[in-house]
Amino acid sequence: MIETFRYNKKKLQKNFPLKKVHAYSKKGQVWLDILNPTKEDVKFLEHELKFHHLAIEDVLNERQLAKVDHYDDYHFLVIHALGIADEGKHKHGVEVTQLNIFLAKNLIVTVHLKPMTAIEETKRRLKEAPELLQRRR
């Protein structure tokens, strides 16, 4: 599932069509959040956004080492978040969740296989203060 966000005229615009990503990113900051990417989502990343196939492979590898790769037009990061594993009503141990981030001019793409508290908190904060998505110079 891909959620789209952009800051436009002091408002947060959500869930705009993917075909608008290129046009909107020329006008301001765009964020795409992809939870549990489908085959279509992966094709979009590789063919429409032109992300390198090795970075796409890393996105699909849930046990990728943390790293930063530099490409001509973007950076690709793999980071890990720690949380409490939740199994039913009882919490057991620590859970590691991988977050993949593509950073390009006016475009942020986050990809993760499981819901992440930090991502959900960021979305909540954007609703309250959409200007957080505005590019700082």
Side-chain angles (χ1 to χ4, degrees):
M1 177 177 87
I2 299 180
E3 285 186 89
T4 58
F5 304 87
R6 83 178 187 126
Y7 180 72
N8 183 35
K9 299 179 183 172
K10 300 184 180 184
K11 294 190 308 190
L12 181 66
Q13 181 180 354
K14 292 177 50 179
N15 300 319
F16 55 83
L18 290 176
K19 64 184 177 186
K20 300 275 191 178
V21 168
H22 290 293
Y24 286 168
S25 66
K26 291 178 183 175
K27 298 176 184 177
Q29 195 70 28
V30 172
W31 174 30
L32 307 180
D33 181 53
I34 306 173
L35 172 60
N36 199 14
T38 64
K39 288 180 183 179
E40 292 79 24
D41 297 340
V42 172
K43 284 181 187 176
F44 177 79
L45 292 174
E46 191 166 7
H47 299 292
E48 297 298 321
L49 298 182
K50 308 291 186 209
F51 293 144
H52 197 279
H53 72 276
L54 291 177
I56 302 300
E57 284 181 21
D58 290 345
V59 164
L60 299 174
N61 178 0
E62 196 172 0
R63 297 193 183 267
Q64 184 62 43
L65 294 175
K67 67 177 182 173
V68 176
D69 286 339
H70 305 281
Y71 293 92
D72 290 339
D73 297 327
Y74 63 94
H75 304 288
F76 172 66
L77 297 81
V78 177
I79 61 175
H80 299 102
L82 297 176
I84 303 297
D86 188 5
E87 296 179 17
K89 294 182 181 180
H90 304 288
K91 298 187 184 262
H92 302 280
V94 175
E95 179 177 62
V96 178
T97 304
Q98 180 172 312
L99 176 61
N100 306 281
I101 306 169
F102 294 90
L103 294 172
K105 183 178 181 182
N106 292 336
L107 178 64
I108 303 166
V109 179
T110 51
V111 185
H112 45 106
L113 298 180
K114 301 175 189 172
M116 297 183 71
T117 303
I119 296 290
E120 295 309 312
E121 177 64 15
T122 301
K123 291 174 188 175
R124 185 192 66 74
R125 289 185 65 201
L126 281 176
K127 287 179 188 173
E128 295 172 1
E131 66 277 3
L132 291 173
L133 195 55
Q134 184 177 3
R135 184 174 175 91
R136 307 278 190 244
R137 304 233 183 247

